[in-house]
């Protein structure tokens, strides 16, 4: 492994301190490379989102980070110990270094203020030196970039379709050119066509801006397409971590195998979960769907 | 723009309906104002038939007029500012009486209601934002103030603060010895001095409801996804609390405020009675006691207009704070 690590997570444990404590994240060790798309797969309730929230210190009680450390190796050459950030430092760290795209495309935007204000909020908080005109221009540019178009700047969330809202979320996540973007099931509520467009967009933006992505989903075949590496989580533990191709061809863990088999193919064969026809790693008869 | 036009159209129809009901109701009531006035006058001396006829003409109750004709005269009267003549304050026109009473009620009760809303919503916002803090203790205390009968609370405060401590005047809207009504500093000063305690009782007795409603809406709004988004964006807590949480949580309270604003005029009866305050409430009470139909009808008209007007304002305001209501305009 080269020493171009962006994020090192060590012995990470998150517990929901309820009457019967739930150990949601167990001894997670993870190194994320700069510019890498890491897929985080697993069934519902396995701790994927909890881990992601932990990286952004967004956990609310009763969830507590019990032990472990998460360190962001900033491109400026210094390290940020995320767990040690004070309230104000934490606010400055959030979105500037790590941004998030949330699960519910429908509810992640504030319904009563315009897109312009929601984008502008980011700049006025993190880049107070920017003028109003600058903020506006930057926001408009982001909407153009993401394919929503600057004429939507004054729209309210209810005036946009689900796909557009999720694009606006991605535009917001891009606003400060963060080094890491966490995407928590960003396409779950969308239909496959919009899903494909958005995934393509993310890949292109990644190569354009060079940020890393932690992509969380329960949809393993989707991860196989877009990720460089995939981590499979089961009951709070990362049970398998490897390149997408290795996971696809030779899954080590029984659970990974079961996860792969759980997606039926269109031809009815179990385990033949192919979605796109342009993957040359597969054999001919598998590839035709 | 279309949103506003549609709203205004709706309110015009509602106004017409209210005016019509206002016209029909007194005519369905038993009793006759002319008889009452005649009875009053006969205490002072014999009443001739001519006098009775002229009274009938004066009060507009011409018996040979058909109901539709009366309705037309009534509508014309409203739009020309002629609401008839009061028999309680005979022969002062109803419009004049209402004109004198209305400002007192609007200003004092209006400010009291508005303050109660603002204080309640602001404290509710803080209590919901810092759930589990000492602010939560306000909830049972203020609910108790709301639960005790208003007139009792008002009397107790009047007794302690005015009679006991002498901090406020016991009754009236202003001090006759200091100034006459008009826009002078002296008059405004004495009016504020007299209006503070009644307004205060309104605030104390009603802000608990706003507080509780706002607090609970805050708590449920705080678990919305967009609040987590705002936190992840690293926004300042102040900004999240106001623009993201409170802005959404306040919507039901604003709708409730529309209703309570409508009661500003009509709900003032008890307050004005306890504090012997000149206003619509005490005037209405007198009108009812004297079977003064013209005055009652005039007052009901004012109350109707107040309810409609307040609702219109809040409707328009709602359009500003919640963009979704504008959407299908």
């Amino acid at each position: 492994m080269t020493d171009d690590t962006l994020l090192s997570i060590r012995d990470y444990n998150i517990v929901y301190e309820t009457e019967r404590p739930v150990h949601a994240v167990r001894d997670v060790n993870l190194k994320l490379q700069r510019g890498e798309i890491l897929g985080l797969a697993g069934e519902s309730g396995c701790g994927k989102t909890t881990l992601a929230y932990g990286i952004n210190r967004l956990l609310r009680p009763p969830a507590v980070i019990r032990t472990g450390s998460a360190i962001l190796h900033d491109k400026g050459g210094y390290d940020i110990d995320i767990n040690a950030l004070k309230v104000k430092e934490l606010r400055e760290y959030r979105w500037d270094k790590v941004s998030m795209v949330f699960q519910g495309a429908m509810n992640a935007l504030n319904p009563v203020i315009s897109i312009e204000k929601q984008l502008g909020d980011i700049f006025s908080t993190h880049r107070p030196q920017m003028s109003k005109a600058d903020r506006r221009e930057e926001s408009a540019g982001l909407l153009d970039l993401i394919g929503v178009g600057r004429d939507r700047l004054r729209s309210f969330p209810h005036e946009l379709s689900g796909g557009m809202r999720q694009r606006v979320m991605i535009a917001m996540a891009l606003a400060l050119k963060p080094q890491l973007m966490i995407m928590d099931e960003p396409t779950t509520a969308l239909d496959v066509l919009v899903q494909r467009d958005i995934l393509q967009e993310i890949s292109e933006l990644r190569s354009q801006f060079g940020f890393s992505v932690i992509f969380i989903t329960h949809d393993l075949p989707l991860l196989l397409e877009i990720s460089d590496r995939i981590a499979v989580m089961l009951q709070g533990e990362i049970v398998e971590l490897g390149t997408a191709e290795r996971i696809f061809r030779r899954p080590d863990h029984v659970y990974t195998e079961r996860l792969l088999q759980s997606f039926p193919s269109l031809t009815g064969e179990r385990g033949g979960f192919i979605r796109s026809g342009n993957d040359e790693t597969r054999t001919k008869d598998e590839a035709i769907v | 723009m279309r949103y506003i036009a549609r709203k205004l159209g709706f309110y015009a129809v509602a106004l017409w309906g209210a005016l019509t009901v206002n016209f029909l109701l007194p005519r369905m009531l038993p009793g006759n104002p002319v008889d009452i006035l005649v009875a009053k006058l006969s205490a002072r001396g014999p009443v001739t038939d001519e006098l009775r006829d002229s009274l009938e003409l004066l009060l507009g109750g011409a018996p040979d007029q058909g109901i539709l004709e009366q309705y037309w005269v009534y509508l014309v009267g409203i739009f020309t500012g002629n609401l008839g003549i009061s028999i309680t304050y005979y022969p002062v026109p109803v419009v004049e009486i209402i004109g004198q009473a209305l400002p007192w009620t609007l200003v004092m009760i209006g400010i009291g209601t508005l303050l109660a809303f603002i204080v309640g919503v602001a404290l509710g916002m803080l209590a919901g934002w810092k759930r589990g803090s000492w602010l939560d203790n306000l909830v049972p205390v203020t609910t108790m103030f709301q639960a005790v009968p208003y007139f009792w609370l008002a009397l107790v405060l009047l007794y302690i603060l005015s009679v006991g401590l002498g901090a406020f005047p016991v009754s009236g809207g202003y001090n006759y010895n200091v100034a006459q009504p008009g826009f002078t500093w002296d008059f405004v000063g004495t009016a504020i001095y007299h209006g503070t305690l009644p307004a205060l009782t309104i605030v104390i007795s009603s802000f608990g409801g706003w507080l509780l409603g706002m607090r609970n809406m805050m708590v449920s709004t705080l678990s919305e996804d967009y609040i987590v988004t705002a936190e992840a964006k690293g926004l300042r807590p102040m900004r999240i609390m106001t623009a993201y949480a409170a802005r959404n949580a306040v919507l039901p309270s604003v709708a409730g405020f529309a209703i309570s604003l409508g009661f500003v005029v009509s709900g003032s009866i008890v307050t004005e009675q306890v504090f012997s305050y000149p206003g619509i409430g005490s005037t209405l009470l007198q009108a009812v006691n004297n079977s003064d139909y013209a005055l009652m009808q005039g007052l009901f008209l004012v109350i109707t207009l107040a309810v409609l007007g307040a609702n219109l304002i809040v409707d328009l305001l709602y359009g500003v704070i919640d963009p979704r209501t504008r959407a299908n305009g």
Side-chain angles (χ1 to χ4, degrees), chain A residues 7 9 30 32 36-40 52 55 180-184 212-216:
Chain A
L7 181 75
I9 297 173
L30 198 61
L32 183 70
E36 175 186 39
I37 296 186
L38 176 77
L40 199 53
I55 295 169
L180 170 61
M181 200 186 283
I182 298 173
M183 311 195 112
D184 186 5
S212 310
V213 177
I214 295 182
F215 197 103
I216 300 172

Side-chain angles (χ1 to χ4, degrees), chain A residues 70-277:
Chain A
I71 290 168
L72 186 96
H73 310 285
D74 192 89
K75 64 179 171 208
Y78 54 93
D79 287 356
I80 299 173
D81 182 352
I82 297 166
N83 289 347
L85 291 173
K86 303 262 188 324
V87 177
K88 189 160 175 288
E89 298 164 337
L90 181 63
R91 267 211 316 273
E92 284 163 5
Y93 154 85
R94 282 177 181 166
W95 220 258
D96 193 27
K97 309 289 179 202
V98 179
S99 65
M100 275 188 95
V101 176
F102 291 91
Q103 212 159 12
M106 301 299 164
N107 307 321
L109 294 170
N110 184 352
V112 297
I113 62 180
S114 66
I115 304 299
E116 179 178 4
K117 278 197 185 140
Q118 298 193 47
L119 274 163
D121 260 353
I122 299 169
F123 295 120
S124 55
T125 308
H126 292 277
R127 306 277 187 268
Q129 73 280 3
M130 275 173 82
S131 73
K132 207 176 168 196
D134 285 351
R135 288 206 294 267
R136 201 197 172 99
E137 187 45 44
E138 193 77 8
S139 305
L142 282 168
L143 290 189
D144 278 344
L145 177 73
I146 205 71
V148 173
R150 60 176 63 216
D151 51 319
R152 290 297 187 169
L153 206 51
R154 308 190 69 172
S155 298
F156 289 92
H158 70 270
E159 295 165 338
L160 305 177
S161 68
M164 277 171 122
R165 280 186 229 186
Q166 199 55 285
R167 281 164 198 269
V168 170
M169 259 323 285
I170 294 170
M172 289 209 300
L174 282 170
L176 301 174
K177 309 279 177 290
Q179 296 165 51
L180 170 61
M181 200 186 283
I182 298 173
M183 311 195 112
D184 186 5
E185 310 212 12
T187 56
T188 307
L190 307 172
D191 67 67
V192 257
L193 289 174
V194 180
Q195 197 172 332
R196 167 149 303 275
D197 281 352
I198 287 184
L199 290 177
Q200 218 131 42
E201 208 98 56
I202 293 168
S203 295
E204 280 163 23
L205 290 167
R206 196 265 309 239
S207 45
Q208 191 177 342
F209 295 108
F211 52 82
S212 310
V213 177
I214 295 182
F215 197 103
I216 300 172
T217 180
H218 52 256
D219 191 343
L220 194 51
L222 186 150
L223 280 185
L224 289 169
E225 277 183 46
I226 63 159
S227 319
D228 300 315
R229 285 191 306 156
I230 293 176
V232 178
M233 269 183 102
L234 174 63
Q235 291 176 358
E237 277 177 281
I238 291 187
V239 291
E240 182 154 11
L241 177 64
T243 61
E245 193 183 330
R246 214 260 302 142
I247 296 245
F248 170 50
R249 296 190 164 277
R250 292 177 278 103
D252 279 343
H253 201 272
V254 186
Y255 179 69
T256 315
E257 217 163 316
R258 274 184 29 221
L259 217 52
L260 284 168
Q261 284 169 359
S262 64
F263 290 88
S265 79
L266 285 178
T267 51
E269 242 175 285
R270 270 181 167 273
F273 46 77
I274 306 105
R275 286 208 167 168
S276 69

Side-chain angles (χ1 to χ4, degrees), chain B residues 25-33 36 291 293:
Chain B
L25 270 186
R27 277 159 185 76
M28 291 194 274
L29 289 175
N32 181 342
I36 294 159
S291 296
Y293 292 101

Side-chain angles (χ1 to χ4, degrees), chain B residues 214-249:
Chain B
M214 184 64 185
R215 178 200 171 273
N216 292 347
M217 272 312 289
M218 267 308 260
V219 169
S220 61
T221 306
L222 284 176
S223 61
E224 293 284 347
D225 288 346
Y226 50 79
I227 300 294
V228 183
T229 310
E231 264 176 57
K233 273 155 80 176
L235 302 185
R236 287 177 203 90
M238 195 62 194
R239 177 82 185 153
I240 300 177
M241 180 174 78
T242 53
Y244 286 74
R247 184 78 188 273
N248 283 287

Side-chain angles (χ1 to χ4, degrees), chain B residues 38-314:
Chain B
V38 166
K40 250 188 170 180
L41 290 174
S42 62
R44 295 189 211 152
V47 177
T48 61
D49 280 354
E50 287 81 14
L51 184 56
R52 194 191 161 88
D53 283 348
S54 54
L55 280 177
E56 258 177 16
L57 280 174
L58 192 64
L59 294 176
D64 50 336
Q65 245 179 359
I67 188 97
L68 281 176
E69 205 174 329
Q70 288 182 37
Y71 182 55
W72 176 248
V73 171
Y74 161 80
L75 282 184
V76 170
I78 283 175
F79 288 104
T80 53
N82 176 16
L83 297 175
I85 287 169
S86 159
I87 55 169
T88 315
Y89 302 96
Y90 187 80
V92 184
V94 166
V95 175
E96 204 170 302
I97 298 172
I98 292 176
Q100 277 168 9
L102 192 59
W104 293 102
T105 302
L106 275 189
V107 173
M108 189 271 284
I109 311 252
I111 289 179
T113 309
L114 192 66
L115 270 183
F117 177 73
I118 293 171
V119 170
V121 165
L123 286 176
M125 175 180 78
L126 289 173
W129 180 251
K130 298 204 174 295
R131 181 161 52 138
S133 71
W134 62 272
L135 272 165
D136 273 359
N137 299 332
L138 276 178
V139 174
V141 175
T142 56
T143 318
M144 187 201 77
F145 281 132
Q146 210 176 16
V148 288
Y150 169 74
F151 69 91
W152 184 81
L153 180 76
L155 283 173
V156 167
L157 284 173
L158 188 68
Y159 182 72
I160 297 174
L161 293 175
S162 296
V163 180
L165 299 174
F168 293 103
V170 178
S171 71
Y174 66 104
N175 190 337
Y176 319 100
N177 302 324
V178 174
Q180 289 303 306
F183 285 102
T184 60
W185 285 115
D186 284 346
F187 174 70
V188 172
T190 173
I192 289 175
Y193 179 55
H194 279 72
T196 304
L197 186 60
L200 193 67
T201 59
I202 294 175
V203 174
I204 291 175
S205 70
S206 61
F207 86 99
W210 302 122
L211 189 149
L212 186 63
M214 184 64 185
R215 178 200 171 273
N216 292 347
M217 272 312 289
M218 267 308 260
V219 169
S220 61
T221 306
L222 284 176
S223 61
E224 293 284 347
D225 288 346
Y226 50 79
I227 300 294
V228 183
T229 310
E231 264 176 57
K233 273 155 80 176
L235 302 185
R236 287 177 203 90
M238 195 62 194
R239 177 82 185 153
I240 300 177
M241 180 174 78
T242 53
Y244 286 74
R247 184 78 188 273
N248 283 287
V250 82
L251 296 176
S253 295
V254 171
F257 186 57
I259 298 166
S260 79
L261 261 191
F263 286 112
V264 162
V265 175
S266 60
S268 61
I269 300 175
V270 181
T271 316
E272 290 179 1
Q273 197 59 24
V274 170
F275 294 97
S276 311
Y277 201 81
I280 291 292
S282 49
T283 312
L284 181 61
L285 198 66
Q286 287 205 340
V288 172
N289 283 341
N290 294 316
S291 296
D292 190 342
Y293 292 101
L295 185 54
M296 266 192 267
Q297 204 171 28
L299 289 170
F300 288 141
L301 178 70
V302 168
I303 291 170
T304 311
L305 288 178
V307 173
L308 284 176
N311 274 284
L312 176 63
I313 291 171
V314 174

